[in-house]
């Protein structure tokens, strides 16, 4: 991989901006952050601080900004850093601008709600002439943007592509581990958000750290079962994109999914019609349907989905989980 590799990150939210910043700070690739809000992009270009998403963090002078989709045509690697439910629309919008042979990396941790399919699957359908990879793992945007040590997983259909991407994107503070298990990496990233909501509910209700530990460990078992049933490797969820991300998201208040669960556990009002849902809330119902279709038992995921859709109250959900038949681990 040489220093002339060009990378475009699409999505000027916190995570996309952080990814662009950490790559640009290394200087090994030419990095551009592409956003639709021309006013925001102009402000970022001039002031180098994204106060709305990453307050107080100065973005490197080596990072370029653009609101022109044509900048994609010069990139060999394009990162899709918009939310999971916007990825397909983004593929349709930006697809015509992709260079021949460019690799697209989805950076969202979710499942396509409309089709109940993994994001790499729907992106391959929308962009059939491009290799599609997935980036996932334990990394908060603020930590990445500040240059704090972070490790994540990047998966592609073949290990050679994943390794090429890992070498291109990694740096001194941002390390990627290559994988050819896109199913395991993506399901780990999506399902840990659901389990983080469950851990937030436990915290919001004051049920203690022992209950949180039980949820993390049993939740990991749920993840492993679904990954294996869908053709992935169960061991993958014991790595960065599963266990690593689950521990981070289920214990840190930087996690929006954990905070969402805490609000649910405290009985605080949540306006489900005003964009207050988080990735885990979208993923819960889809994962529950996937599990049913694969004949996989996922009681924690099912309970979170039922609580969010309003068909089950939290005390009853906890009672049902604790009264399940005793079995072996």
């Amino acid at each position: 991989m040489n220093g002339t590799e060009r990378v475009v990150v699409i999505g000027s939210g916190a995570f996309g901006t952080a990814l662009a910043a950490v790559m640009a700070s290394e200087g090994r690739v030419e990095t551009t952050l592409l956003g639709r809000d021309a006013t925001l992009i102009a402000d970022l270009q001039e002031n180098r601080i994204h106060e709305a998403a990453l307050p107080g963090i100065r973005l490197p002078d080596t990072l370029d900004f653009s609101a022109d989709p044509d900048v994609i045509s010069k990139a060999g690697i394009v990162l899709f850093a918009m939310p999971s439910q916007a990825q397909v629309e983004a593929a349709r919008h930006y697809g015509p601008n992709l260079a021949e042979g460019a690799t697209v990396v989805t950076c969202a941790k979710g499942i396509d709600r409309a089709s109940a399919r993994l994001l790499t699957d729907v992106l391959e359908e929308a962009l059939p002439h491009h290799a599609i990879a997935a980036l996932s793992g334990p990394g908060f945007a603020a930590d990445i943007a500040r240059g704090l040590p972070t490790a994540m997983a990047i998966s592609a259909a073949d290990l050679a592509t994943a390794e090429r991407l890992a070498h291109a994107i990694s740096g001194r503070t941002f390390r990627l581990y290559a994988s050819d298990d896109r199913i395991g990496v993506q399901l780990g990233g999506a399902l840990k958000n659901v389990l983080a909501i469950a851990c937030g509910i436990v915290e919001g209700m004051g049920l203690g750290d022992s209950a949180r530990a039980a949820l993390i460990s049993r939740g990991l078992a749920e993840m492993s079962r679904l990954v294996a049933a869908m053709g992935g490797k169960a061991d993958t969820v014991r790595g960065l994109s599963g266990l690593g991300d689950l521990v981070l998201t289920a214990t840190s208040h930087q996690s929006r999914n954990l905070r969402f669960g805490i609000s649910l556990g405290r009985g605080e009002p949540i306006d489900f019609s005003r964009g207050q849902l988080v990735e885990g809330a979208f993923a819960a119902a889809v994962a529950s349907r996937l599990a049913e279709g694969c004949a996989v038992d996922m009681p924690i995921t099912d309970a979170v989905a039922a609580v969010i859709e309003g068909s089950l109250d939290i005390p009853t959900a906890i009672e049902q989980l604790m009264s399940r038949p005793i079995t072996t681990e």
Side-chain angles (χ1 to χ4, degrees), residues 102-175:
T103 299
V104 173
V105 182
T106 173
C107 303
K109 299 173 182 178
I111 304 169
D112 182 61
R113 183 171 45 166
S115 64
R117 295 163 67 198
L118 298 177
L119 295 179
T120 53
D121 292 338
V122 294
L123 289 178
E124 279 182 336
E125 187 174 276
L127 303 168
H129 303 297
H130 297 275
I132 309 294
L135 174 70
S136 190
F140 287 135
D143 293 345
I144 294 170
R146 289 191 177 97
L148 300 178
T150 303
M152 301 181 74
I154 190 157
S155 60
D158 61 275
L159 195 56
T161 298
E163 289 175 337
R164 176 178 66 84
L165 294 168
H167 284 290
I169 299 173
S170 293
R172 291 166 297 176
T173 65
F174 188 64
R175 182 178 178 85

Side-chain angles (χ1 to χ4, degrees), residues 14-210:
F15 196 58
T17 303
L19 290 173
V22 75
M23 285 187 286
S25 66
E26 291 292 330
R28 299 172 59 210
V29 294
E30 297 179 22
T31 309
T32 300
L33 179 65
L34 174 65
R36 293 192 181 188
D37 187 338
T39 301
L40 171 63
I41 293 298
D43 181 70
L44 294 178
Q45 182 74 52
E46 180 179 357
N47 297 309
R48 301 276 156 182
I49 293 181
H50 196 330
E51 284 294 351
L54 298 167
I57 301 175
R58 180 168 176 80
L59 304 176
D61 293 335
T62 49
L63 176 58
D64 294 326
F65 300 90
S66 179
D68 182 2
D70 191 53
V71 72
I72 302 171
S73 65
K74 304 177 180 66
I77 302 173
V78 179
L79 275 61
F80 275 28
M82 66 289 299
S84 59
Q85 306 311 316
Q87 296 256 324
V88 174
E89 190 277 331
R92 296 187 184 118
H93 181 78
Y94 294 110
N97 299 99
L98 287 168
E100 182 179 353
T103 299
V104 173
V105 182
T106 173
C107 303
K109 299 173 182 178
I111 304 169
D112 182 61
R113 183 171 45 166
S115 64
R117 295 163 67 198
L118 298 177
L119 295 179
T120 53
D121 292 338
V122 294
L123 289 178
E124 279 182 336
E125 187 174 276
L127 303 168
H129 303 297
H130 297 275
I132 309 294
L135 174 70
S136 190
F140 287 135
D143 293 345
I144 294 170
R146 289 191 177 97
L148 300 178
T150 303
M152 301 181 74
I154 190 157
S155 60
D158 61 275
L159 195 56
T161 298
E163 289 175 337
R164 176 178 66 84
L165 294 168
H167 284 290
I169 299 173
S170 293
R172 291 166 297 176
T173 65
F174 188 64
R175 182 178 178 85
L176 297 185
Y177 287 79
S179 169
D180 60 359
D181 182 13
R182 294 189 301 180
I183 294 172
V185 167
Q186 288 179 96
L187 283 177
L191 295 177
K192 62 88 185 178
N193 285 328
V194 179
L195 298 170
I197 293 175
C199 288
I201 292 172
V202 163
E203 181 173 335
M205 294 191 71
L207 299 181
D209 289 335
S210 297

